[in-house]
Amino acid sequence: MRQWRDEGFGMRAILRDERFVGLVSLASCTLPGAAEPVWRIGWWIDPAGLGQGIATEAATAV
């Protein structure tokens, strides 16, 4: 909730045919030596949905 409040984005549910199949998240973070925050993306996909392009589609959307 803090991330949504402070940055306007955060973790999102991934639905396919109205069924939950995973999560995708975009976050900013600071790295030692980096002049500005950097972006990182992460996802978790239900193993039954692997190999179907779900992570690629979700990452593109966020």
Side-chain angles (χ1 to χ4, degrees), residues 28-39:
S28 64
C29 61
T30 56
L31 293 177
E36 297 181 15
V38 296
W39 298 98

Side-chain angles (χ1 to χ4, degrees), residues 7-57:
E7 300 181 30
F9 55 84
M11 192 169 292
R12 296 173 184 251
I14 302 170
L15 304 177
R16 181 157 281 184
D17 299 324
E18 298 184 26
R19 186 176 62 85
F20 175 82
V21 295
L23 298 167
V24 63
S25 178
L26 179 67
S28 64
C29 61
T30 56
L31 293 177
E36 297 181 15
V38 296
W39 298 98
R40 67 180 181 191
I41 190 165
W43 55 85
W44 174 88
I45 306 296
D46 183 325
L50 295 176
Q52 299 176 30
I54 295 171
T56 300
E57 185 177 345

